Amino acid sequence: METDMPEVRRTVIELLGQLGSSREARQYLKQFSRIEESRFAVVKVGGAVMRDHLDEMAAALAFLHRLGLTPIVLHGAGPQLDEAMEAAGVPIEKRDGLRVTTEDVMAVARPVIYRANAALVDALEARGVRARGILHGVFEAQLADRERLGLVGEIQRVELEPVQTAIASGSLPVVACLGESPAGQVMNINADIAARELVWAVEPHKVIFLTGTGGLLDYSGRVISAISLRTDYDHLLAQDWVHSGMRLKLQQIKEMLDRLPPETSVSITSAENLTRELFTHTGAGTLIRRGEAIDWYEAVSPEHREQLQILLEDSFGRNLRPDWLEQRELVGLLWAESGRAAALITVGVDGVPYLDKFVVTPEAQGEGLGAALWQALRQRFPTLYWRARAGNPIAGWYFQQAHTTHRQGEWIVYSIGVEDFELLGRLTGDARHRDSGWVQA
Ligand code: ARG
């Protein structure tokens, strides 16, 4: 399979390798390539990115196309339109967050949208990618409220044929946010609404928002790496630093994902970071998924036992003794629905639970499943102790989570919620002598 790989593809894979491990890149390329061509991704590009980062964006999209992937691009032109209206002396008015589109506004808007579309198509073609601007025929609409909003369209139906024809002929479809009535009345469509409707019609594997900030930002202005709606949504909306724009964005994304298959994910990233976001586990941007259930079991069923053993052995690259689980006095198992993350808790000293195994696949880690599992663990166990080897790659992360850490030879013993100094001493002594369950090398 690898021997008859075309030269370009090989080069590109090497390039991807520079991002992280080429294994990761290959895995994602394989994953994305398995999906039907027209359902890989819908990429929504805001007007500001079109204006300020056209070149980076064309480069990132051209790169995907050379890998054999065909994203469907949808773009707005808001800021360009504001500028043009100002220049033309046409007042800007919004109602319910929508641009009031009088005939005068439409007269200015149409050429602006056409120009933005052509600029992106040209930038792509300049990079040797065939691209097709699609200005009409996708969003069938009717007037939302002629009196209040003018020529603002409410989408009635999404026609994918123009998009599919473009893809079939080897072109990247670049769709503008214009709709029309069956009789041909052109209407202005809000870009977020257009994106949502297009995504529902296409049901893509990935939904990508290219923005200037490159992700959703937390209270300190840092990009939030992953959000699982199931576990983080309510908590996030309750934060006072989540301002109205971000709140709206989260609500819209939740509404969008609620109607799509559970494996669909949204990535918010920048043009510059798109490749890294798509082809590494940790990504570069904010990944949002519906998320999965993390269930609690007081006994480990034979099926879970088998899956857990495989998960542990694969992740740690070692083998477990056949009796490893039976040797343990169990408190219970936290198990992620997809079987890609688990925490095994056993009976420790003086009623303090011992975190015996904690495992998350690297891919699930990038989705934030490790953090979600940890949160579930903390909710259930106010006190806890565990150990890890000093050289363990996640030692640094444990260090941040733990309240106390004690070095014990090759081990570091961590604890949470234990204040009694004497008890801590006993926990530490206990942890270092625990059976690991691994076959000794
Ligand atoms: N490459 C994967 C994807 O695009 C995972 C990305 C993880 N991204 C993140 N911001 N945590 O689906």
Side-chain angles (χ1 to χ4, degrees):
M1 177 193 108
E2 305 234 336
T3 47
D4 55 62
M5 189 185 292
E7 193 51 39
V8 185
R9 204 174 155 96
R10 198 193 304 275
T11 317
V12 151
I13 284 176
E14 266 175 41
L15 186 59
L16 286 174
Q18 295 172 17
L19 289 175
S21 82
S22 82
R23 227 178 87 214
E24 271 173 54
R26 264 164 217 259
Q27 180 193 323
Y28 285 110
L29 184 56
K30 211 157 117 200
Q31 185 188 109
F32 300 148
S33 306
R34 255 201 314 264
I35 297 149
E36 199 190 320
E37 214 183 5
S38 63
R39 297 193 37 223
F40 155 56
V42 168
V43 181
K44 191 215 147 188
V45 189
V49 175
M50 293 280 283
R51 186 190 53 193
D52 306 332
H53 302 280
L54 189 70
D55 228 44
E56 288 107 300
M57 185 173 55
L61 294 172
F63 182 66
L64 292 179
H65 196 246
R66 255 179 272 133
L67 285 170
L69 300 169
T70 314
I72 300 169
V73 183
L74 176 78
H75 69 87
Q80 291 88 327
L81 185 48
D82 287 344
E83 280 164 27
M85 284 172 66
E86 225 159 286
V90 180
I92 298 168
E93 198 189 336
K94 296 211 171 163
R95 285 196 187 139
D96 318 328
L98 300 171
R99 184 187 296 275
V100 177
T101 310
T102 59
E103 310 249 329
D104 287 349
V105 172
M106 188 54 109
V108 178
R110 253 201 322 165
V112 169
I113 294 171
Y114 292 168
R115 263 200 301 278
N117 189 274
L120 179 49
V121 170
D122 286 349
L124 286 165
E125 299 218 309
R127 293 178 179 272
V129 173
R130 289 184 59 185
R132 184 176 297 177
I134 300 176
L135 299 163
H136 300 288
V138 173
F139 301 109
E140 187 186 313
Q142 69 179 30
L143 291 170
D145 184 341
R146 172 116 217 188
E147 303 238 305
R148 272 172 57 76
L149 300 169
L151 299 172
V152 167
E154 194 172 80
I155 298 173
Q156 300 297 301
R157 204 173 62 87
V158 175
E159 175 58 64
L160 289 179
E161 207 204 278
V163 171
Q164 272 149 0
T165 325
I167 294 175
S169 75
S171 300
L172 274 193
V174 179
V175 184
C177 294
L178 285 171
E180 53 297 303
S181 71
Q185 166 69 60
V186 176
M187 288 172 246
N188 185 17
I189 310 262
N190 171 277
D192 289 316
I193 296 174
R196 185 182 70 186
E197 294 287 339
L198 182 63
V199 163
W200 280 339
V202 173
E203 294 201 352
H205 182 66
K206 291 221 52 124
V207 181
I208 298 162
F209 291 93
L210 295 184
T211 68
T213 50
L216 294 180
L217 306 180
D218 70 7
Y219 56 90
S220 67
R222 266 197 309 246
V223 170
I224 302 172
S225 170
I227 294 173
S228 148
L229 293 175
R230 192 159 183 153
T231 42
D232 305 331
Y233 185 71
D234 293 336
H235 176 76
L236 272 174
L237 286 202
Q239 304 301 309
D240 51 18
W241 52 267
V242 176
H243 54 81
S244 61
M246 176 163 167
R247 189 175 302 263
L248 186 66
K249 189 117 227 165
L250 278 169
Q251 281 162 347
Q252 285 172 344
I253 289 173
K254 181 173 184 325
E255 196 184 317
M256 184 165 82
L257 283 179
D258 276 345
R259 276 218 226 159
L260 294 166
E263 61 279 5
T264 316
S265 66
V266 172
S267 281
I268 306 177
T269 183
S270 62
E272 193 192 1
N273 285 334
L274 178 60
T275 308
R276 187 175 296 276
E277 169 65 11
L278 286 175
F279 296 100
T280 63
H281 291 324
T282 41
T286 304
L287 184 80
I288 306 176
R289 306 183 94 234
R290 287 241 296 269
E292 57 190 88
I294 295 174
D295 297 312
W296 170 249
Y297 299 94
E298 285 178 3
V300 180
S301 70
E303 298 88 85
H304 279 158
R305 187 199 192 289
E306 196 186 321
Q307 287 186 59
L308 175 62
Q309 177 152 350
I310 295 171
L311 179 63
L312 286 164
E313 291 182 338
D314 283 356
S315 301
F316 291 91
R318 306 178 67 175
N319 294 320
L320 287 158
R321 292 194 319 269
D323 68 339
W324 73 279
L325 188 59
E326 289 64 35
Q327 290 298 312
R328 284 158 156 69
E329 202 181 334
L330 218 61
V331 173
L333 173 70
L334 276 170
W335 180 257
E337 208 178 349
S338 65
R340 297 176 304 160
L344 187 74
I345 297 92
T346 52
V347 175
V349 169
D350 280 2
V352 182
Y354 178 70
L355 174 60
D356 200 308
K357 297 277 179 255
F358 186 84
V359 59
V360 184
T361 67
E363 189 187 320
Q365 191 81 43
E367 289 170 16
L369 193 55
L373 177 61
W374 191 260
Q375 198 180 319
L377 184 69
R378 293 289 288 113
Q379 257 164 27
R380 195 167 279 276
F381 298 101
T383 63
L384 203 64
Y385 67 113
W386 69 99
R387 72 171 187 202
R389 276 183 206 281
N392 189 315
I394 86 164
W397 189 78
Y398 280 156
F399 210 82
Q400 283 172 8
Q401 309 306 319
H403 297 160
T404 70
T405 57
H406 291 272
R407 181 88 187 225
Q408 284 278 317
E410 60 185 325
W411 296 109
I412 299 177
V413 179
Y414 304 85
S415 83
I416 279 177
V418 182
E419 280 170 11
D420 184 326
F421 197 69
E422 218 207 325
L423 176 57
L424 271 175
R426 267 178 290 142
L427 297 183
T428 309
D430 168 74
R432 65 180 302 196
H433 293 118
R434 291 232 160 202
D435 167 39
S436 70
W438 300 115
V439 173
Q440 295 308 320

